[in-house]
Amino acid sequence: MTREEHHLLTLLIEKGDDVPRVRDKVKIAARAFGCPRLQVTRLATAASESARFLLRLYLGGKMRLSLVRQEGDSAGLELLFRSRMACGKGGPAMAASCPASREALLQMEPLSVLATLFDGFDLQGGIGGAPITFRYRSRVGGLAWNEEMLRRAGEIRRELFADTEESYLENLRAKHDEVLQLLREKTEQNRILDQANNELLQLSNDLEELARERTIIEMSLKVADRIRNPTTVIGGLARQLVRKGGLPAPVEKKIRQIMAQADQIENIVKQFHRMAAERRSLIVREDLVQLVRECLQSCHALSRKSMTPVLEVDREPVPVLVNRHVLKVAILNVLRHAAKASPEGGEVRIRITTGGKGAELSVTYQGEGLDAGTLAELAQPAGGVLPAGRSGLMLVRQILAEHQASLTAENIESPAPGARLTMRFPVYWQEHGKAQPEEKRIS
């Protein structure tokens, strides 16, 4: 059902004197809508304690009081509190009191009480450098959501503003701040969209470069296999005939022409090898740990959900043969997938290990696991062409295939339900099914 609400009042919380004003306004509204005495006291106390909480940890913010439609045609009061900044901006002493996780935040008063005392308690942000937003509702018995209730709400709103003009002006200021905040959020969303478009453009360019590189290298190898050997034989036999001598002048002249053409073909083969050596510059030895750190710094999806990434590394550096721009897109896609599937304030573990078979990068997250169809599709070998309209993990699998690496996925139950995505990189790149030393492959 579509959420319906009717705004009554927005008040700023900037100093200690604002706390009793918030309490009084909520008490007036609760009494006007017919709440019993206990419910009035409960709402007023919760409002004042929530305001003190914002002032103590987040240097204030604002409260929004609204009527909300609940199940059927019943109505209730909703209190929404939003801080103007993140916790700890007031100095080291305040930062020491900031919660380190969502669980620690929910255990703080008054949030621990609000979560059990009221309906529809919801909490967002509050940790990891994000402002806090929390709301809770209380159903008003006998109050129906209809035209009469809306008319009555207008009268009560005027009563809330009747005591002082300052409240009305500050309410307008709060609404103005809300509009500015929406504009800032829209600007940030546009910036993130532009960044995603730039990443996609860079990905497209890098994949084209990678495809050209592979094509040139494979062409040079085919030329070497199919042309160099017969050319060497032809040139060698022609030279033997010339060295033996005794050939008529016209025949010797023609044989020398064969020798010259064989040498020319040999030079063409060498040119192909030089071209392949030049194109190999895209695939170089990079530190996988550094690439992951760069991706974690630029992955806004994790910070938007106040998630905590934990990086575990056995040793540094961990060298792998990659195109850094293309592989960073793959790593970012995995991190974004983990952020999307994880709950607010969840944890993502990134582990990098090395062994005899190569390097391994695993990303483990809590939350929604992968469905059976996705698991089955990821288990299949990557094809030569990415299906139209597919992205995300399918794109990651395709990029890793271009690096002779692999992607495996599995759902886990311990220590918490979630999933694990693992990228495995080989020690050596292979050509024609035979392992080649690293120095020979990229020199």
Side-chain angles (χ1 to χ4, degrees), residues 226-263:
R226 299 183 181 182
I227 298 179
R228 171 171 278 175
N229 291 339
T231 302
T232 302
V233 172
I234 293 172
L237 292 175
R239 290 184 181 87
Q240 287 182 3
L241 290 175
V242 172
R243 282 198 300 269
K244 285 183 179 181
L247 296 174
V251 174
E252 182 177 351
K253 181 179 179 180
K254 292 180 180 179
I255 293 179
R256 289 187 180 277
Q257 289 178 352
I258 293 174
M259 290 171 53
Q261 295 301 317
D263 291 339

Side-chain angles (χ1 to χ4, degrees), residues 162-173:
D163 57 345
T164 173
E165 184 180 356
E166 180 184 1
S167 296
Y168 179 72
L169 294 176
E170 290 194 3
N171 189 60
L172 288 179
R173 178 183 172 189

Side-chain angles (χ1 to χ4, degrees), residues 63-262:
M63 180 207 73
R64 176 187 174 97
L65 177 63
S66 305
L67 280 168
V68 292
R69 185 171 187 173
Q70 297 189 305
E71 294 180 1
D73 291 327
S74 62
L77 289 172
E78 178 183 86
L79 282 73
L80 182 146
F81 290 84
R82 178 177 290 126
S83 68
R84 62 180 181 178
M85 61 181 64
C87 184
K89 298 297 184 180
M94 182 176 290
S97 302
C98 293
S101 64
R102 180 179 173 87
E103 290 72 19
L105 179 61
L106 287 170
Q107 292 175 2
M108 300 182 73
E109 293 185 356
L111 301 183
S112 59
V113 178
L114 298 176
T116 59
L117 199 60
F118 293 98
D119 300 328
F121 178 79
D122 179 61
L123 171 67
Q124 296 179 0
I127 60 174
I132 189 172
T133 300
F134 60 95
R135 70 177 81 208
Y136 46 92
R137 297 192 297 270
S138 182
R139 183 173 181 175
V140 179
L143 183 62
W145 187 276
N146 50 35
E147 292 296 328
E148 174 62 23
M149 183 275 299
L150 296 176
R151 184 192 62 77
R152 186 178 172 190
E155 296 175 353
I156 293 173
R157 184 187 295 109
R158 286 190 292 273
E159 181 181 351
L160 292 173
F161 294 148
D163 57 345
T164 173
E165 184 180 356
E166 180 184 1
S167 296
Y168 179 72
L169 294 176
E170 290 194 3
N171 189 60
L172 288 179
R173 178 183 172 189
K175 297 296 290 182
H176 177 68
D177 289 342
E178 286 185 12
V179 173
L180 292 179
Q181 179 64 24
L182 289 173
L183 290 175
R184 284 193 292 268
E185 291 176 356
K186 184 176 180 62
T187 301
E188 176 65 14
Q189 290 173 355
N190 289 337
R191 187 190 66 79
I192 294 173
L193 181 61
D194 290 340
Q195 182 181 11
N197 289 334
N198 291 334
E199 289 178 357
L200 288 174
L201 178 60
Q202 182 65 47
L203 170 64
S204 177
N205 293 336
D206 288 338
L207 288 178
E208 289 179 3
E209 288 292 328
L210 192 59
R212 284 197 293 269
E213 172 211 356
R214 293 290 295 276
T215 301
I216 292 174
I217 291 176
E218 291 175 1
M219 183 183 298
S220 66
L221 293 175
K222 289 179 180 180
V223 168
D225 290 340
R226 299 183 181 182
I227 298 179
R228 171 171 278 175
N229 291 339
T231 302
T232 302
V233 172
I234 293 172
L237 292 175
R239 290 184 181 87
Q240 287 182 3
L241 290 175
V242 172
R243 282 198 300 269
K244 285 183 179 181
L247 296 174
V251 174
E252 182 177 351
K253 181 179 179 180
K254 292 180 180 179
I255 293 179
R256 289 187 180 277
Q257 289 178 352
I258 293 174
M259 290 171 53
Q261 295 301 317

